[in-house]
Amino acid sequence: MANWAALVQNCVSKKQNKQLTRLYFLTFTTFLCTLFYLLGLWHHSPPSLAAVSAGTHLSAGRNCPDSTSKLLSNSISNSTLDFSATHFAPDPEESARGFHAPPCDPTLSEYTPCEDVQRSLLFPREDLIYRERHCPVEAEVLRCRIPAPFGYRVPLRWPESRDAAWFANVPHKELTVEKKNQNWVRFEGDRFRFPGGGTMFPRGAGAYIDDIGKLINLKDGSIRTALDTGCGVASWGAYLLSRDILAVSFAPRDTHEAQVQFALERGVPALIGVLASIRLPYPSRAFDMAHCSRCLIPWGQREGIYLTEVDRVLRPGGYWILSGPPINWQSHWKGWERTRESLKEEQDTIEKVAKSLCWKKLVQKGDLAIWQKPTNHIHCKITRKVFKNRPFCMAKDPDTAWYTKMETCLTPLPEVNDVSEVSGGKLSNWPERLTAVPPRISSGSLKGITADMFKENTELWKKRVAYYKSLDYQLAERGRYRNLLDMNAFLGGFAAALIDDPVWVMNTVPVEAEFNTLGVIYERGLIGTYQNWCEAMSTYPRTYDFIHGDSVFSLYQNRCKMEEVLLEMDRILRPQGSVILRDDVDVLLKVKKFADAMQWDSRIADHEKGPHQREKIFFAVKQYWTAPLPEQKST
């Protein structure tokens, strides 16, 4: 009894109770930890792992390989950390998923949407309105890829291309017959030859330009940009290039078959265009020299409106050169099949219009006549008060030129304080003009852009173009490209960085851009045009070897369909030509989906500063393909 009482005493003691409670707690905690560990192990293991473990012994008697080790290794690899990129494009829009761009009919190999001949016949013939831009409405827009003609070949390289082009690329012989005696173009074997002749320069364009050089200075760099109206096959512009003078040539779509197309195949800057009722797509004070050689433009008609438009785009102190009717009519009136009286009346009218524009006639020698625009309008304003004719234009921006009506009033030059000053600022001679701060910027007339910004932009594009050449070996190969297009040129830095390469760049400034900088581009001695990329460009298919665009699709993101802009790019890009776009990565991922559907070979590369920039570089090459032989059309 004493021993039993002692045991009871121990069991109820406080000390012993504390030990038992601690033991129960540890046991319970261990049980819970083990349970949750097993639950976690089961949750993260492959679903089939238990079944495989159970079935291992069942399969052993069937000589089946033991897959347990493979599954275990897979479970280990699946549980490792994933360091791959997690930034992916959102699901493609319905338009991207359903986009299909088949080849167009072979008969459309020279289709120019806004210059279509059949559509033009629907518009008035008065004032040549029917020959202006008339773009298709939404229902008429083609959503197919324009084919190159069968047998198309990569154009000859410059300077050989100045004198020859493949017949298969421009299969039109009309000019070889119509202008046979004037040496515009000849057909020889598989190519055309361009002897450099013209209606008013039978000794060739080189000799003709030499004659001009005897009358005005073409060698000191004061004349860099030129405008050729009614250009023919652009031999005048082609032969100016060796003199460091860059000409924009233009002519209507069908005055002569394919004349602008010939110019582009030769590697000479040209656009389809006409002097009619709309301003030319250039800013005011753009060209150092304008030229007409038997261009058949009625300069004296409609109150001299066409010559007034030339005055708008001509730089202060610039020259207008005219050869052909009515100049030197005394010697040519019989050959021109005109009467003396009509030719004299035409010349008198031109002289009167030029005087009303305050131009000075410098010289008329032989078949050449040259006028000069004043460097400012101080004297012109005085004579306006005396003669009270041709008033100055008011209010309208002289640089606005996209679907802007021409006027007969005189475009006023920027104000000056002294008669010796050049309105708008004096330009440096070429080549210093390229890198000198343009007067539109140094004067502060282009709000928001400073001289420091201009200099920084010039250096920036040198680095960018060097990087581009590391991406595109064709751009890096000297002479591979000739005709280049910059879709959003801003200050012309891309073109300036390529100035030592044998290329020319058509710098386009979108009409939707924040700054109208095309005047700055011309003040640098470069060329360009205005453009709305929701519409087609006024040029033939296969114009450009290379197309560049900086933030173009961000600019047009909510304005028009991305695929239609890309189809226009495909139309004007030559087979085996390249495209480089820079934009936000999300935008370029969408571009790539459409580009792949157009069968471009494309990729997206990192920004020149590295992979951590949201802006990326899209690089693509258009594949070579042509229309089939005519007899194979049905197949």
Side-chain angles (χ1 to χ4, degrees):
M1 285 298 290
N3 290 338
W4 176 253
L7 180 60
V8 173
Q9 179 79 22
N10 290 335
C11 288
V12 298
S13 67
K14 292 183 179 180
K15 181 177 181 182
Q16 192 66 25
N17 284 343
K18 289 182 179 178
Q19 290 177 350
L20 287 173
T21 302
R22 188 175 300 163
L23 179 61
Y24 295 151
F25 177 76
L26 291 174
T27 303
F28 183 69
T29 302
T30 303
F31 172 77
L32 287 178
C33 290
T34 304
L35 176 64
F36 286 118
Y37 173 76
L38 292 173
L39 286 172
L41 183 64
W42 174 79
H43 179 72
H44 290 286
S45 64
S48 60
L49 184 58
V52 171
S53 299
T56 301
H57 301 292
L58 294 175
S59 63
R62 301 175 188 170
N63 296 321
C64 295
D66 185 359
S67 59
T68 306
S69 60
K70 292 184 179 179
L71 284 171
L72 287 173
S73 66
N74 285 341
S75 68
I76 293 171
S77 64
N78 287 339
S79 65
T80 57
L81 292 175
D82 181 10
F83 290 99
S84 61
T86 57
H87 181 85
F88 298 103
D91 290 340
E93 299 173 2
E94 188 64 32
S95 59
R97 289 199 300 267
F99 178 66
H100 180 54
C104 300
D105 189 277
T107 58
L108 295 170
S109 64
E110 293 178 0
Y111 181 62
T112 53
C114 298
E115 318 287 341
D116 182 62
V117 177
Q118 296 303 316
R119 186 181 299 106
S120 70
L121 298 177
L122 303 175
F123 293 88
R125 289 183 171 266
E126 61 202 39
D127 302 334
L128 297 178
I129 290 174
Y130 77 106
R131 282 191 171 175
E132 294 179 325
R133 284 175 57 89
H134 300 291
C135 297
V137 298
E138 178 68 19
E140 297 175 331
V141 173
L142 293 181
R143 292 174 175 83
C144 53
R145 292 175 292 139
I146 303 297
F150 179 79
Y152 179 88
R153 302 170 68 174
V154 173
L156 299 166
R157 295 195 177 193
W158 184 266
E160 184 183 0
S161 66
R162 187 194 72 172
D163 303 322
W166 302 116
F167 168 74
N169 293 9
V170 194
H172 297 286
K173 295 183 180 179
E174 292 85 349
L175 283 178
T176 65
V177 177
E178 186 177 347
K179 300 295 181 180
K180 181 178 180 180
N181 297 326
Q182 298 170 12
N183 276 334
W184 277 31
V185 57
R186 298 173 183 169
F187 177 63
E188 297 177 3
D190 60 355
R191 67 188 68 190
F192 291 107
R193 295 284 184 187
F194 302 95
T199 308
M200 294 309 301
F201 32 93
R203 295 183 294 120
Y208 176 79
I209 292 169
D210 288 340
D211 289 342
I212 295 174
K214 294 173 184 176
L215 305 177
I216 58 176
N217 194 336
L218 300 178
K219 296 180 178 179
D220 65 352
S222 60
I223 296 176
R224 165 63 181 174
T225 55
L227 180 68
D228 192 12
T229 58
C231 63
V233 295
S235 289
W236 187 71
Y239 280 79
L240 279 173
L241 288 166
S242 62
R243 294 164 169 82
D244 270 342
I245 298 175
L246 195 55
V248 177
S249 302
F250 75 88
R253 172 71 169 83
D254 274 334
T255 300
H256 298 300
E257 188 68 40
Q259 54 183 337
V260 169
Q261 196 174 13
F262 276 128
L264 295 167
E265 282 295 312
R266 298 176 71 181
V268 179
L271 290 166
I272 299 172
V274 65
L275 275 166
S277 67
I278 301 295
R279 283 180 173 181
L280 296 172
Y282 316 115
S284 64
R285 298 180 282 127
F287 298 98
D288 300 304
M289 175 171 61
H291 172 258
C292 163
S293 173
R294 197 179 172 86
C295 61
L296 304 180
I297 295 173
W299 296 111
Q301 295 181 16
R302 297 182 58 202
E303 300 181 64
I305 192 170
Y306 304 130
L307 214 50
T308 305
E309 176 63 3
V310 171
D311 176 83
R312 183 185 72 84
V313 300
L314 204 58
R315 187 159 293 144
Y319 303 97
W320 183 58
I321 302 170
L322 177 64
S323 65
I327 303 304
N328 198 15
W329 58 266
Q330 297 89 341
S331 302
H332 297 293
W333 66 277
K334 288 184 179 179
W336 291 339
E337 299 180 349
R338 298 265 305 273
T339 64
R340 292 170 178 262
E341 291 76 18
S342 67
L343 287 164
K344 182 180 184 303
E345 181 182 2
E346 183 180 350
Q347 179 151 355
D348 289 345
T349 304
I350 290 174
E351 302 276 8
K352 182 179 179 180
V353 172
K355 187 176 181 180
S356 73
L357 296 171
C358 301
W359 291 4
K360 176 184 178 182
K361 189 172 185 180
L362 289 182
V363 63
Q364 179 173 325
K365 185 176 181 180
D367 295 338
L368 286 168
I370 302 178
W371 285 262
Q372 186 175 24
K373 179 177 177 176
T375 56
N376 58 63
H377 274 161
I378 289 181
H379 285 307
C380 194
K381 289 178 178 179
I382 295 173
T383 59
R384 290 287 72 71
K385 295 176 181 178
V386 174
F387 298 105
K388 297 181 180 180
N389 61 352
R390 198 168 293 274
F392 285 98
C393 301
M394 297 296 179
K396 186 175 290 187
D397 183 354
D399 287 349
T400 302
W402 189 253
Y403 294 121
T404 305
K405 287 289 184 180
M406 289 194 299
E407 297 177 301
T408 56
C409 54
L410 180 59
T411 302
L413 289 171
E415 295 290 340
V416 294
N417 297 317
D418 187 85
V419 71
S420 62
E421 288 185 45
V422 177
S423 287
K426 182 175 175 57
L427 294 176
S428 302
N429 289 352
W430 183 263
E432 291 79 13
R433 187 182 297 187
L434 181 69
T435 53
V437 178
R440 275 176 165 88
I441 294 177
S442 60
S443 66
S445 61
L446 186 58
K447 304 298 182 183
I449 299 178
T450 65
D452 288 340
M453 291 170 61
F454 170 79
K455 294 175 183 176
E456 290 170 3
N457 184 265
T458 300
E459 294 304 314
L460 174 65
W461 279 103
K462 289 180 181 178
K463 296 176 183 177
R464 287 181 169 179
V465 168
Y467 182 63
Y468 287 168
K469 289 184 176 181
S470 71
L471 297 176
D472 184 358
Y473 73 90
Q474 294 189 111
L475 182 63
E477 182 185 347
R478 185 175 177 83
R480 168 62 182 86
Y481 293 147
R482 175 65 184 168
N483 303 359
L484 276 66
L485 172 69
D486 193 355
M487 296 177 69
N488 189 12
F490 189 41
L491 300 177
F494 171 77
L498 289 164
I499 200 65
D500 293 328
D501 289 5
V503 303
W504 59 269
V505 180
M506 184 62 72
N507 296 280
T508 62
V509 172
V511 293
E512 298 83 2
E514 182 180 359
F515 301 102
N516 182 356
T517 53
L518 194 54
V520 167
I521 289 169
Y522 274 95
E523 287 181 343
R524 300 189 72 174
L526 304 171
I527 59 172
T529 183
Y530 293 113
Q531 179 64 36
N532 177 353
W533 287 113
C534 292
E535 299 180 5
M537 195 176 186
S538 291
T539 191
Y540 280 88
R542 302 171 298 282
T543 288
Y544 297 103
D545 304 294
F546 179 94
I547 297 177
H548 173 256
D550 179 8
S551 305
V552 173
F553 288 97
S554 287
L555 179 63
Y556 283 92
Q557 202 160 22
N558 299 314
R559 290 185 167 98
C560 51
K561 295 179 180 177
M562 179 182 287
E563 60 268 33
E564 293 182 0
V565 179
L566 284 163
L567 280 170
E568 172 62 7
M569 292 169 63
D570 183 83
R571 184 186 75 87
I572 62 180
L573 183 65
R574 287 173 170 167
Q576 297 182 320
S578 296
V579 173
I580 288 183
L581 304 173
R582 60 189 309 123
D583 217 314
D584 183 83
V585 60
D586 287 338
V587 173
L588 293 184
L589 285 168
K590 293 179 183 178
V591 168
K592 191 176 189 310
K593 291 181 184 296
F594 291 120
D596 291 344
M598 295 192 303
Q599 299 182 5
W600 288 3
D601 295 324
S602 66
R603 61 188 173 93
I604 295 178
D606 285 328
H607 190 276
E608 59 268 11
K609 291 183 179 179
H612 301 297
Q613 305 290 322
R614 279 198 61 84
E615 186 176 74
K616 302 293 181 185
I617 310 298
F618 171 84
F619 168 65
V621 177
K622 179 180 176 179
Q623 292 183 2
Y624 175 87
W625 65 281
T626 71
L629 280 169
E631 59 268 21
Q632 296 177 345
K633 180 179 176 182
S634 60
T635 60

